[in-house]
Amino acid sequence: MAQIEGAVNDGTSGDPAVGSDLINHLLLCMYSPSSEATSYPETFPENFTVSLTQTSSAHGAFGERSGTSVSPVLSRPLSAPYTGVAPPTSSTKWGDLITNNPHRVVYYGRPDLTDDTKLRYEWKSIPRGVNLGSSYVIVGFCLDAATQTTTMIVEQSTGGTAVQAYADAYFLTPAVTGTCSPNLAVLAGTSPFQLAHRLFHYGVDLLSPSPLMAAVLTTGVGSKTKCCSVFGPTNVGSVDLAVAPSNTNGTPSIPTTIKVNTQKFRLTVTSKSGSTPVNGVKITLTTGTNNGTPTTIRKAASQTADCKTAPPAVGVTGQDGNAAGTYDFPFLCITSTGGVFVTITADVDGRSDQPVSLTSNKAKVIP
């Protein structure tokens, strides 16, 4: 497959349909259909024709990565790609990311033409169950985050749909330098887009790309994408915040009496744009007015963990094993006595926005 990539890139490959047939037969030789099902594409045999088409107008992508390679897989034309997949940093080796044996992966892609107005792209991998451990890769797009201030990257997969966390696609440069294609020629779009960056976090047994416009993925709806995910820009004009448990007015509900340092309680925060979960929202919990000494809310690791040495109550939706658009604080505790309110503040990480806050009922923290 690495040789096929080289032939496509240097213009010496033949009929893309023949190449597609060859890859499907290679997969039959490489993997057992009965015991290695996650090594096959979701649909088998797969149609790799667009991914192997040399012409720039097809905007296909195909690349094998392993070992010490740090280079991204880019859509064609390679001199001015619209999108690409890359390691989290320019010095991270692909072989160090992949925990499968052998440490190899093929990324391939093609434009999603189900709606020509959305400029979306479908990225897949072989094996579809590629294991990147606790690391991630980036999927970047040539979209201008500076001018498209409410744009983020949405992922649509068989597991659901989610807006992914914002980050930087370092391997793409602005269109003004001639190395970033502002749109897909086969799709509608006349705006002179330049650059925006986003991250997609790939967790264990999942493939998920990130923001140029880039995004961060973890497990959960819209991010556990073993194969068939479509990524592209979406407008996120506002993010709605919700918490459980909550009072009848939707504000956080905490125990009215809490024993200092030892009593733990739970709050689960969700962030959505309409009905779509939004990852990458930084959730910060703080304490408000109290009648005793200054106090702090902390995020303990367990029911018996020491509250005083626990870290601050901060999390990012969709990370740390949480479902898309969610962050769960299962073991919250207060460090000193008094009358306390808990305030939840949500801020989309990496974007210039207006944070949203919710304030709980008053709790009496006792010795």
Side-chain angles (χ1 to χ4, degrees), residues 26 78 122 127 152 160 168 176 180 197 247 265 318-319 332 341:
L26 288 172
L78 301 182
E122 184 175 28
M152 293 183 73
D168 183 36
V176 292
C180 189
H197 307 303
N247 296 302
F265 60 97
Q319 292 190 11
L332 296 170
F341 298 92

Side-chain angles (χ1 to χ4, degrees), residues 243-256 258 265-268 332 342 344 358-363:
V243 62
S246 63
N247 296 302
T248 55
N249 60 0
T251 60
S253 175
I254 64 174
T256 55
I258 300 172
F265 60 97
R266 186 179 209 130
L267 289 174
T268 301
L332 296 170
V342 173
I344 299 174
L358 297 174
T359 300
S360 75
N361 54 285
K362 186 176 181 179

